[in-house]
Amino acid sequence: MIEAVWGNRWMMLASVLLALLLAVYPLPGVGPWMRPEFVVLLAIYWVMVLPQAAGPGLIWLVGLFQDVVEGAVLGQHAFALVVIAYICQLSYQRLRNYALWQQAGLVFVLVGIHQLLGNWVYSLSGGTSKSLLFLLPAFTSALCWPLLVVGMNRLRFHYRLL
Amino acid sequence: MAKLSKGAVAALIAAAVGALCLLLEGSLPWLVKFPAAWVLPATDWVGAAMEWFLALIKPTARGFSALMFYPMEAANYVLSTTPWPLVICATTALAWTLGGVRMALMAVVGLGFVALLLILLNTYTDYLTPLRSKLGVVATPFYWLADLPNRVVLWSQDAFVSRNDLQAENAALKEELLIHKRKLQTMAALAAENVRLRQLLNSAEMIQDRVLVAELIGVSPDPLSHIVIVNRGREDGVYVGQPLLDASGLMGQVVEVSAYTSRVMLITDASHALPVQVNRNGVRAVAEGTGDLYSLNLRHVSATVDIRQGDLLVSSGLGQRFPVGYPVAEVVSVIHDPGKPFVTVVARPRAHMNRSRHVLLVFSESGPLAPAAPAETGVAKQP
């Protein structure tokens, strides 16, 4: 049992570290505007498949870590991720029964909420975003969702984390 | 003979082809250097596709934005006008009332509350700045790793270069050095003359700035802020407010220092402004970033000011932050609109904001600005 828990944690940690790396990987041109939010996707994924292991506290810590790594306002991602983790906790049973494309639709909304909260924090510090381009990552994240689920599921079954 | 595996055979073939290509380079240069004509204009295609796609979704986005605008605006208004203690109290009250309903919700609300507190502290006070600068070390490995492919490419460009190319480069560099040396000869005389004239005027000596070469290792993932990460930090003596230059102009200033890296805000960031002057006639202005990497706006330039297209803007040192006389931008357009009190002046930064990898951090020995002439020696001395 303990090994299983540690196994979960190990794989979660590895996947989140990779997602953080992707979150700061420099992209050229319009890339940064449409970078998928892999940390959010992973949070949704882990809450969906292992709700008992991915509690709000852990996800909050991941969010804070993301803030530090990205140099964002401390608490920005922590807040947004906790909100999303809560919504997922409430609906993970439904989420599991959806088809991949339906899940992608929900992911679009969730990442959209994440982006809206991020934009709110941005507006707190005096900035105003002139367009709704900040919602573009929601779209790209939804596109990445099926790929992520298939890949992560394969890994997860390989390491027998059920 | 032992049977080779498929991978080994493939590796052998690849090595053979590579060796053959290198041998044939003299007669068939396109074998080693990928011909420029073969490069597909993929970026153009992607750009065109993106534009088409954006045009397609624009009406939908507009409708969505109209739908979202009022609730968002209202929420923003409420949140920005209420004092933050009230927000905290309200959140606590909400947590209190909902706490009994669901345990999970209570945890979430508690964590969200702490996060909100952090956000507000971070936005409105400086209490968290030291903490952030300590925590910044955690980010270093991520930027280091993200920069790794880049460095491998640079290394391989250095390592796999033919002798001919190296010789050509060497010759070109020698030539360039000669040209610069010639320029420097006249410069020495000019500098001496400058010192003499300054002594005549009794003004302070220009101090040679000490610089530290740094390398850009990352950019902020947030497209709304123009912040880059350089590989020098507190250990190298970098301090907040230190100016950053590249080979052709001023790039920005350090905003956050951690142990081994620091974050630099570029002058094109929407929240950045710096005092400049026109090199031709010394007219002063403030150049503010627009959030676009290729343009700066000059603030409050009155319609009668002598400023023209092509003017070089240099840092004036008035903000006590940037040293005097570094090139900042070049004026690209001056628009006189009779209906407006000020002229719209757009300038293009001289520094290659999104291209320079090697940058310079400037240390000013006696503060950012050389001290002005002491008041009691106002009269010029006789030579």
Side-chain angles (χ1 to χ4, degrees), chain A residues 54-72:
Chain A
L58 195 67
I59 285 173
W60 186 85
L61 274 180
V62 167
L64 201 65
F65 199 64
Q66 191 185 3
D67 288 326
V68 171
V69 170
E70 289 193 5

Side-chain angles (χ1 to χ4, degrees), chain A residues 16-18 20-27 30 32-35 55-58 60 64-65 67-80 82-83 85-86 89-90 108 116 119-126 128-130 132-136 139, chain B residues 50 53-54 57 61-62 64-66 68 72 75-76 79-80 102 104-105 107-109 111-116 118-120 122-124 128 131-132 135-139 141-143 145-147 149-150 217-225 256 263 270 290:
Chain A
V16 165
L17 287 181
L18 190 66
L20 283 172
L21 187 62
L22 289 174
V24 297
Y25 193 82
L27 293 174
V30 291
W33 285 103
M34 37 204 291
R35 182 199 301 272
L58 195 67
W60 186 85
L64 201 65
F65 199 64
D67 288 326
V68 171
V69 170
E70 289 193 5
V73 173
L74 276 187
Q76 174 188 340
H77 289 103
F79 183 63
V82 154
V83 170
Y86 180 64
Q89 282 278 6
L90 287 187
F108 175 76
L116 272 179
N119 194 55
W120 169 65
V121 174
Y122 177 68
S123 71
L124 268 189
S125 50
T128 45
S129 51
K130 296 183 187 76
L132 280 174
L133 270 181
F134 68 90
L135 285 177
L136 205 55
F139 185 68
Chain B
M50 272 299 297
F53 176 68
L54 285 179
I57 63 166
R62 282 271 159 77
F64 186 59
S65 105
M68 294 292 297
M72 254 183 78
N76 261 348
L79 283 164
S80 62
R102 271 189 97 107
L105 184 62
V108 167
V109 170
L111 290 166
F113 168 70
V114 177
L116 262 182
L118 279 177
I119 291 172
L120 293 172
N122 217 324
T123 318
Y124 295 118
L128 293 178
L131 179 72
R132 285 186 62 117
L135 286 175
V137 187
V138 191
F142 287 95
Y143 288 103
L145 270 177
D147 191 41
N150 214 331
I217 57 164
V219 290
S220 166
D222 181 4
L224 288 170
S225 65
E256 201 180 305
R263 300 170 67 81
T290 54

Side-chain angles (χ1 to χ4, degrees), chain A:
Chain A
M1 192 61 213
I2 287 165
E3 287 106 47
V5 168
W6 272 106
N8 294 348
R9 291 282 153 86
W10 168 79
M11 197 174 156
M12 278 178 181
L13 191 71
S15 61
V16 165
L17 287 181
L18 190 66
L20 283 172
L21 187 62
L22 289 174
V24 297
Y25 193 82
L27 293 174
V30 291
W33 285 103
M34 37 204 291
R35 182 199 301 272
E37 294 283 342
F38 281 111
V39 180
V40 185
L41 290 184
L42 277 175
I44 298 171
Y45 176 80
W46 284 116
V47 172
M48 182 180 84
V49 298
L50 294 168
Q52 73 280 10
L58 195 67
I59 285 173
W60 186 85
L61 274 180
V62 167
L64 201 65
F65 199 64
Q66 191 185 3
D67 288 326
V68 171
V69 170
E70 289 193 5
V73 173
L74 276 187
Q76 174 188 340
H77 289 103
F79 183 63
L81 273 183
V82 154
V83 170
I84 283 160
Y86 180 64
I87 299 172
C88 289
Q89 282 278 6
L90 287 187
S91 58
Y92 73 90
Q93 282 155 330
R94 220 174 313 155
L95 198 56
R96 279 180 184 174
N97 288 317
Y98 282 162
L100 269 184
W101 66 268
Q102 284 169 317
Q103 286 179 356
L106 196 63
V107 163
F108 175 76
V109 176
L110 288 173
V111 180
I113 293 172
H114 178 269
Q115 295 302 101
L116 272 179
L117 288 172
N119 194 55
W120 169 65
V121 174
Y122 177 68
S123 71
L124 268 189
S125 50
T128 45
S129 51
K130 296 183 187 76
S131 64
L132 280 174
L133 270 181
F134 68 90
L135 285 177
L136 205 55
F139 185 68
T140 51
S141 302
L143 286 183
C144 285
W145 175 255
L147 203 69
L148 180 115
V149 168
V150 171
M152 288 298 287
N153 272 347
R154 184 162 290 186
L155 267 179
R156 202 160 52 87
F157 294 144
H158 183 255
Y159 289 107
R160 297 195 171 72
L161 304 176
L162 299 169

Side-chain angles (χ1 to χ4, degrees), chain B residues 13-92:
Chain B
I13 290 173
V17 170
L20 198 66
C21 286
L22 281 178
L23 281 177
L24 289 176
E25 196 210 347
S27 49
L28 302 167
W30 54 266
L31 274 176
V32 172
K33 271 197 186 151
F34 195 71
W38 292 4
V39 179
L40 292 175
T43 30
D44 295 351
W45 295 350
V46 171
M50 272 299 297
E51 254 170 38
W52 174 81
F53 176 68
L54 285 179
L56 196 71
I57 63 166
K58 205 172 253 178
T60 330
R62 282 271 159 77
F64 186 59
S65 105
L67 206 69
M68 294 292 297
F69 180 75
Y70 292 104
M72 254 183 78
E73 198 69 351
N76 261 348
Y77 179 75
V78 170
L79 283 164
S80 62
T81 49
T82 42
W84 61 269
L86 195 66
V87 175
I88 290 167
C89 289
T91 325
T92 320

